[in-house]
């Protein structure tokens, strides 16, 4: 790294940190009135309110970092432009892309930090902050004892549908089990039973009042009781926790999606959260192009306009991102596609302004 790069990087980091601190303080102040209400209502002590604010910091950091990068990059380059440093560097043959190289690299590294905070730190602190706000000291998620209309597809292409299942008593009522061929094209057998109990020792269901329709042999058989080793899915596998995906890490969300899929649940919200986890952190990298290019030219009296324009563009990103997120939650767009469309749009704008900054 040359002295010029160190100089630009130092100024960029300083401007970014100042902007970050300013935005974080604004968001904390916006929460103070709510926290004061909690204290006066007896829902929190002063110590708990301080802890609550600390738990909010990762969420605030994630939300304001793109704005801090945008404003910080604009302030850094605009200061250099006002001192005629940008035009001097261009005159000496150094392109603007070369000037902006290290701020862009630093912005990408900041995006990676946001990605890790969003994946590891944020889910834990979000859960704890919600517990404090609700007056709970420990957050515990309990599996429900029973479930109606339970659905499960196994890796052996066996589909279970159970009207009512109890994971504590290991019993079920009104079962329908469908066996499908390896290509998942043709039904081989349908088993219906009025009730059943899961034998833990044999690891198999024992069904009662059973009718089996075999589509290969084209036969129908009735049994008072029926059991088969292949019917080995315990009641607990039919009942999964479908909590708030925001409180889960990326790996936990992926596992939750797999579990929900085999039990027939709705995965749109989980997919939307996962899509945002892999797209929103890189907003800081995307908007850095806008901030750097908008601050590249010095025009007397135009600094305030550039700052207002950059902040406006920053909030526009949030509006576009929220709009596409709503489309993904409603199942209209693929969650990963909807998460990256705002990044692509604003990266295009940033590259356009970056090209303009060369002249």
């Amino acid at each position: 790294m040359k002295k010029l790069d160190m100089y630009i990087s130092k100024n960029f980091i300083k401007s970014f940190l100042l902007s970050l601190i300013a935005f974080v303080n604004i968001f904390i102040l916006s929460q103070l009135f709510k926290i004061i209400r909690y204290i006066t209502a007896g829902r929190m002590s002063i110590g708990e309110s301080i802890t609550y604010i600390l738990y909010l910091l990762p969420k605030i950091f994630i939300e304001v970092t793109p704005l801090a990068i945008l404003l910080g990059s604009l302030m850094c380059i605009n200061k250099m432009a006002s001192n005629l440093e940008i035009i001097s560097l261009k005159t000496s043959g150094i392109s603007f892309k070369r000037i902006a190289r290290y701020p862009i690299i630093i912005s990408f590294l900041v995006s990676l930090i946001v990605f890790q905070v969003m994946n590891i730190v944020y889910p834990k602190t979000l859960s704890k902050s919600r517990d404090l706000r609700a007056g709970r000291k420990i957050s515990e998620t309990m599996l429900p004892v029973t479930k109606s209309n339970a659905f499960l597809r196994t890796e052996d292409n066996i589909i279970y549908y159970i009207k009512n299942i109890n994971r504590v008593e290991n019993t079920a009522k009104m079962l329908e089990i469908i066996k499908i061929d390896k290509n998942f094209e043709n039904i081989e057998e349908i088993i219906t039973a009025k009730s059943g109990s899961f034998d833990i020792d044999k690891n198999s269901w024992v069904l009662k009042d059973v009718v089996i329709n075999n589509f290969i042999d084209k036969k129908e058989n009735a049994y008072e009781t029926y059991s088969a080793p292949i019917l080995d899915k315990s009641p607990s596998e039919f009942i999964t926790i479908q909590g708030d995906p925001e409180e889960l890490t990326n790996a936990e969300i992926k596992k939750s999606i797999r579990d929900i899929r085999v039990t027939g649940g709705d995965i749109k919200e989980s997919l939307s959260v996962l899509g945002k986890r892999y797209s929103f952190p890189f907003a800081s990298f995307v908007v850095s192009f806008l901030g750097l290019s908008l601050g590249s030219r010095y025009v007397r009296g135009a600094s305030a306009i550039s700052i207002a324009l950059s902040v406006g563009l920053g909030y526009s990103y949030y509006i576009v991102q929220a709009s596409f997120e709503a489309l993904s939650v409603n199942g209209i767009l693929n969650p990963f596609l909807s998460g990256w469309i705002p990044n692509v749009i604003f990266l295009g704008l940033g590259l356009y302004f970056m090209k303009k900054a060369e002249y």
Side-chain angles (χ1 to χ4, degrees), residues 294-355:
L294 287 172
S296 62
R297 289 185 179 183
Y298 174 65
V299 178
R300 190 176 299 275
S303 297
I305 296 173
S306 296
I307 292 173
L309 179 60
S310 66
V311 173
L313 286 170
Y315 279 106
S316 297
Y317 175 87
Y318 289 97
I319 294 170
V320 173
Q321 186 268 332
S323 300
F324 279 98
E325 183 181 356
L327 292 176
S328 70
V329 171
N330 292 326
I332 298 172
L333 271 181
N334 178 281
F336 291 91
L337 181 63
S338 65
W340 275 99
I341 286 176
N343 287 352
V344 172
I345 292 172
F346 281 82
L347 180 60
L349 284 173
L351 293 174
Y352 171 77
F353 285 115
M354 188 69 72
K355 185 179 180 181

Side-chain angles (χ1 to χ4, degrees), residues 30-77:
S30 69
Q31 293 290 322
L32 278 181
F33 296 103
K34 186 187 295 184
I35 293 169
I36 290 170
R37 287 205 311 270
Y38 291 155
I39 294 172
T40 54
R43 292 175 59 183
M44 280 186 190
S45 64
I46 295 176
E48 287 174 337
S49 64
I50 295 172
T51 304
Y52 178 71
I53 292 173
L54 293 175
Y55 285 150
L56 289 178
L57 288 179
K59 181 178 185 292
I60 295 172
F61 170 76
I62 291 166
E63 291 181 350
V64 305
T65 298
L67 281 175
I69 285 285
L70 181 61
L71 186 58
S73 58
L74 185 141
M75 290 170 58
C76 170
I77 297 298

Side-chain angles (χ1 to χ4, degrees), residues 1-8:
M1 184 184 289
K2 297 181 180 180
K3 289 184 178 180
L4 173 63
D5 297 322
M6 292 182 66
Y7 172 74
I8 296 172

Side-chain angles (χ1 to χ4, degrees), residues 154-358:
T154 73
E155 59 278 3
D156 300 319
N157 286 344
I158 296 176
I159 299 174
Y160 291 79
Y161 171 74
I162 301 176
K163 186 69 175 177
N164 187 275
I165 190 168
N166 188 307
R167 70 173 181 86
V168 175
E169 297 177 359
N170 288 323
T171 58
K173 295 179 180 179
M174 304 302 296
L175 301 92
E176 184 172 319
I177 303 167
I178 303 173
K179 295 182 182 179
I180 303 177
D181 63 15
K182 292 182 179 180
N183 297 323
F184 207 74
E185 294 177 350
N186 301 308
I187 297 174
E188 295 180 347
E189 192 174 69
I190 296 178
I191 303 170
T192 58
K194 289 185 178 180
S195 62
S197 59
F198 188 78
D199 191 322
I200 299 175
D201 296 329
K202 295 181 179 179
N203 194 42
S204 177
W205 281 96
V206 178
L207 307 178
K208 295 181 179 179
D209 298 323
V210 180
V211 175
I212 300 178
N213 288 284
N214 191 309
F215 289 86
I216 298 175
D217 300 332
K218 296 182 179 179
K219 292 183 179 179
E220 180 179 294
N221 298 305
Y223 303 91
E224 288 186 10
T225 60
Y226 176 82
S227 181
I230 199 170
L231 305 178
D232 59 351
K233 297 300 177 183
S234 65
S236 60
E237 295 183 61
F238 290 81
I239 302 175
T240 57
I241 300 172
Q242 191 170 349
D244 188 347
E246 292 278 3
E247 297 182 6
L248 305 177
T249 64
N250 293 349
E252 290 170 340
I253 293 175
K254 291 175 184 177
K255 182 181 182 302
S256 174
I257 289 171
R258 289 195 297 269
D259 292 341
I260 294 169
R261 269 180 173 153
V262 298
T263 55
D266 187 359
I267 60 172
K268 289 197 292 291
E269 183 181 359
S270 296
L271 284 173
S272 177
V273 170
L274 192 61
K276 184 178 179 180
R277 292 273 181 92
Y278 282 99
S279 59
F280 183 77
F282 298 97
S284 300
F285 170 71
V286 169
V287 299
S288 67
F289 289 88
L290 285 171
L292 292 167
S293 56
L294 287 172
S296 62
R297 289 185 179 183
Y298 174 65
V299 178
R300 190 176 299 275
S303 297
I305 296 173
S306 296
I307 292 173
L309 179 60
S310 66
V311 173
L313 286 170
Y315 279 106
S316 297
Y317 175 87
Y318 289 97
I319 294 170
V320 173
Q321 186 268 332
S323 300
F324 279 98
E325 183 181 356
L327 292 176
S328 70
V329 171
N330 292 326
I332 298 172
L333 271 181
N334 178 281
F336 291 91
L337 181 63
S338 65
W340 275 99
I341 286 176
N343 287 352
V344 172
I345 292 172
F346 281 82
L347 180 60
L349 284 173
L351 293 174
Y352 171 77
F353 285 115
M354 188 69 72
K355 185 179 180 181
K356 288 283 187 180
E358 292 289 358

